[in-house]
């Protein structure tokens, strides 16, 4: 069998360089929170395929549901000859979406498509054009999703022009001195300087910024956004693509704020590793576009729908929301112990098992340390742990371990984080740069 190095050489020659690659680790098999590479090395997976594996690699329920569906049929196209697994999944997601207003759903294939469709639906519903998003937010790589994304390099640089009528407000981040009031004032400034609220179709926000750095939107901010949208007839879109399906200790992160979104995006952990995304929202808004206006060839693949039903069963029967709280507490406590010892850890934050640590120089929030962050992901990989970074300045480590992981595996992974950081702190070049 080819080695990691041989496969890396082939990869580099075969793929365009725009398709990033964090580790030269070629996976042979994976189960729950562990994976093994082609050379037989074992890794603990704290990345979960970027938030896709809340129920772990090949959860037995998901594997069985997919096998059963594969015996029946793999594709007919939901828009041509539909099937019960899709209807059942839509009914179930409509029931799970927060709030009492009747809901309807659509299925698409990727998170970016779900975001795009929210804008289409909000515009069709309101007859308005503008959309407001937040600085540092990430909504995907298609054109509208890119326009809404609030991070230029590497997502937008060189790709313009973008669709018009997109505005950004700052996300409230106490650690970086941006209060809830600052963000609300900025929204009022957009209404004063750029666009009247009567022309705004939607405001879109991640309840916990994912790619942007795992910053948690305070509940009072989401509640204020709900009021603002109600006052001006704006559609409130909550992007739950990274936060959904028990990651934060609730089925959806927005439940922590106790508000009802108008539209929600879902993807990633929805189908436990199979490509599926959804928009779920208030039925009257969802029904605004006419027949044929929404959809896609692979939208609502029966295999992915069967997987998603099994994911929902696993979340319920294994009480994964409660498990996320327990795991999150374990991770935050362990990382805070480490923070007391290491001035490089500026902040440890978490909601449920959506946990992050921000790496800075000498405890200064304004001195991000992306070099140390990169070195840590590399060193951890050498020790058998897959870690993911994020953040506007690339200086945040995000923890996305499967919620089905055992305590022992999570502790083993956290020990690797601690050992790697201690080694790097003792490395003269990095320690000097971090001082
Ligand atoms: C919050 C959020 N929205 C949208 C997306 C885009 O999803 P996809 O990569 O499936 O298009 C992502 C992906 O990371 C995300 O985290």
């Amino acid at each position: 069998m080819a080695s990691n190095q041989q496969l890396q050489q082939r990869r580099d020659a075969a793929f365009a360089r725009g398709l990033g690659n964090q580790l030269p680790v070629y996976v042979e098999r994976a189960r729950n929170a562990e994976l093994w590479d082609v050379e037989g090395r074992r890794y603990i997976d704290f990345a979960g395929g970027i938030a896709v594996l809340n129920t772990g690699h090949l959860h037995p329920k998901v594997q069985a549901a997919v096998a059963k569906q594969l015996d029946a049929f793999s594709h007919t196209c939901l828009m041509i000859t539909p099937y019960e697994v899709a209807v059942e999944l839509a009914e179930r997601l409509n029931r799970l979406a927060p709030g009492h207003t009747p809901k309807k759903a659509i299925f698409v294939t990727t998170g970016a498509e779900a975001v795009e469709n929210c804008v289409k639906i909000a515009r069709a519903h309101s007859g308005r054009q503008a959309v407001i998003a937040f600085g540092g937010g990430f909504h995907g790589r298609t054109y509208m999703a890119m326009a809404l994304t609030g991070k230029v390099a590497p997502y937008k640089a060189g790709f313009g022009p973008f669709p018009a009528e997109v505005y950004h407000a700052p996300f409230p981040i106490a650690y970086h001195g941006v209060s809830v009031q600052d963000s609300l004032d900025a929204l009022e400034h957009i209404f004063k300087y750029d666009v009247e609220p009567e022309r705004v179709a939607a405001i879109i926000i991640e309840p916990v910024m994912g790619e942007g750095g795992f910053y948690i939107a305070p509940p009072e901010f989401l509640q204020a956004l709900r009021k603002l949208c109600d006052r001006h007839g704006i559609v409130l879109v909550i992007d739950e693509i990274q936060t959904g399906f028990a990651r934060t200790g609730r089925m959806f992160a927005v439940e922590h704020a106790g508000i009802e979104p108008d539209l929600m995006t879902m993807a990633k952990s929805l189908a436990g590793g199979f490509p599926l995304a959804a928009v779920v929202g208030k039925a009257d808004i969802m029904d605004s576009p006419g027949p044929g206006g929404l959809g896609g060839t692979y939208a609502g693949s029966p295999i992915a729908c069967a997987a998603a039903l099994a994911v929902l069963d696993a979340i319920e029967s294994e009480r994964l929301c409660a498990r996320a709280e327990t795991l999150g507490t374990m991770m935050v406590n362990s990382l805070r112990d480490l923070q007391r010892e290491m001035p490089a850890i500026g902040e440890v934050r978490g909601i449920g098992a959506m946990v992050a640590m921000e790496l800075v120089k000498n405890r200064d929030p304004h001195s991000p340390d992306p070099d140390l962050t990169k070195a840590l992901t590399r060193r951890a990989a050498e020790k058998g742990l897959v870690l993911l970074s994020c953040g506007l300045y690339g200086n945040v480590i995000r923890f996305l371990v499967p919620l089905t992981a055992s305590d022992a595996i999570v502790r083993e992974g956290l020990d690797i984080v601690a050992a790697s950081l201690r080694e790097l702190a003792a490395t003269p070049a990095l320690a000097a740069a971090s001082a």
Side-chain angles (χ1 to χ4, degrees):
M1 184 175 288
S3 68
N4 284 316
Q5 199 191 354
Q6 287 165 333
L7 285 168
Q8 189 68 16
Q9 275 166 5
R10 282 168 56 193
R11 190 211 105 96
D12 290 346
F15 284 117
R17 68 194 180 106
L19 194 68
N21 168 220
Q22 188 181 313
L23 294 173
V25 171
Y26 286 76
V27 181
E28 190 180 59
R29 68 194 168 90
R31 278 289 181 287
N32 200 2
E34 293 167 286
L35 52 90
W36 289 264
D37 73 8
V38 288
E39 295 170 17
R41 276 206 76 197
R42 169 212 179 230
Y43 293 81
I44 293 174
D45 187 0
F46 271 17
I50 320 189
V52 169
L53 298 165
N54 289 355
T55 49
H57 291 276
L58 288 184
H59 189 289
K61 281 194 166 79
V62 173
Q63 206 175 0
V66 166
K68 187 171 163 221
Q69 182 57 45
L70 265 178
D71 267 349
F73 62 96
S74 65
H75 178 81
T76 64
C77 187
L78 189 57
M79 299 181 299
I80 308 301
T81 47
Y83 29 86
E84 186 172 356
V85 273
V87 178
E88 189 184 338
L89 181 64
E91 288 169 346
R92 217 155 145 187
L93 293 175
N94 291 340
R95 279 198 302 275
L96 283 171
H100 298 299
T101 315
K103 303 291 193 309
K104 282 196 171 182
I106 59 160
F107 293 144
V108 285
T109 311
T110 65
E113 263 186 285
V115 168
E116 298 272 344
N117 277 280
C118 285
V119 176
K120 285 168 65 173
I121 295 165
R123 284 180 171 168
H125 167 75
S126 63
R128 305 171 177 188
Q129 300 82 39
V131 187
I132 298 175
F134 290 85
F138 181 79
H139 298 288
R141 287 182 163 89
T142 54
Y143 262 92
M144 191 62 183
M146 242 195 310
L148 294 169
T149 290
K151 184 175 177 184
V152 172
Y155 304 119
K156 299 166 84 156
F159 296 137
F162 301 105
E165 298 281 23
V166 171
Y167 305 91
H168 286 93
F171 194 94
I173 303 175
Y175 184 62
H176 289 293
V178 184
S179 68
V180 165
Q181 195 53 51
D182 292 336
S183 292
L184 292 173
D185 289 347
L187 285 163
E188 292 302 332
H189 288 150
I190 288 177
F191 296 152
K192 270 248 169 319
Y193 302 157
D194 294 316
V195 60
E196 65 275 31
E198 294 74 25
R199 274 211 307 116
V200 178
I203 294 180
I204 182 167
I205 186 165
E206 297 162 86
V208 183
M209 225 193 251
E211 160 60 23
F214 274 31
Y215 299 106
I216 303 159
E220 64 270 28
F221 184 64
L222 295 176
Q223 290 153 8
L225 281 187
R226 180 64 280 173
K227 281 199 190 114
L228 189 79
C229 287
D230 288 342
R231 188 169 343 125
H232 297 297
I234 297 170
V235 174
L236 178 59
V237 181
I238 302 290
D239 184 346
E240 290 269 4
I241 287 168
Q242 190 146 163
T243 47
F245 302 100
R247 172 57 50 188
T248 69
R250 302 283 167 87
M251 190 58 99
F252 300 106
V254 72
E255 291 171 41
H256 291 278
I259 60 159
E260 180 173 10
D262 295 315
L263 301 177
M264 282 167 81
T265 58
M266 306 174 188
K268 293 197 183 268
S269 277
L270 164 61
F274 292 84
L276 181 67
V279 178
V280 176
K282 293 180 177 167
D284 63 324
I285 301 178
M286 290 294 294
D287 271 337
S288 304
L294 309 173
T297 303
Y298 295 108
S301 143
I303 296 170
C305 288
L309 286 169
V311 164
L312 296 179
D313 287 343
I315 290 174
E316 274 170 31
S317 65
E318 293 169 36
R319 299 172 39 81
L320 293 184
C321 287
R323 179 70 186 146
E325 296 284 6
T326 311
L327 275 181
T329 305
M330 184 206 278
M331 288 191 283
V332 165
N333 286 345
S334 156
L335 294 169
R336 292 219 167 117
D337 285 347
L338 194 61
Q339 183 184 25
R340 279 186 274 282
E341 180 192 325
M342 319 237 28
I345 304 180
E347 189 178 59
V348 174
R349 51 183 172 265
I351 177 165
M354 194 157 183
V355 172
M357 76 178 173
E358 183 150 347
L359 298 178
V360 296
K361 294 178 182 159
N362 217 3
R363 296 204 196 284
D364 176 8
H366 306 297
S367 304
D369 201 340
D371 294 337
L372 178 63
T373 312
K374 243 188 237 118
L376 175 58
T377 54
R378 255 186 256 123
R379 185 63 60 96
E382 285 160 16
K383 293 179 182 296
L385 174 69
V386 182
L387 266 188
L388 264 190
S389 62
C390 65
L392 205 48
Y393 302 98
N395 67 319
V396 178
I397 297 287
R398 54 176 149 172
F399 296 86
L400 286 163
V401 65
L403 305 175
T404 43
S406 67
D407 285 6
I409 290 260
V410 177
R411 279 211 195 89
E412 193 184 336
L414 289 168
D415 286 348
I416 293 178
V417 172
S420 304
L421 257 185
R422 287 189 188 111
E423 280 178 22
L424 291 168
T427 306
L430 262 172
S434 294

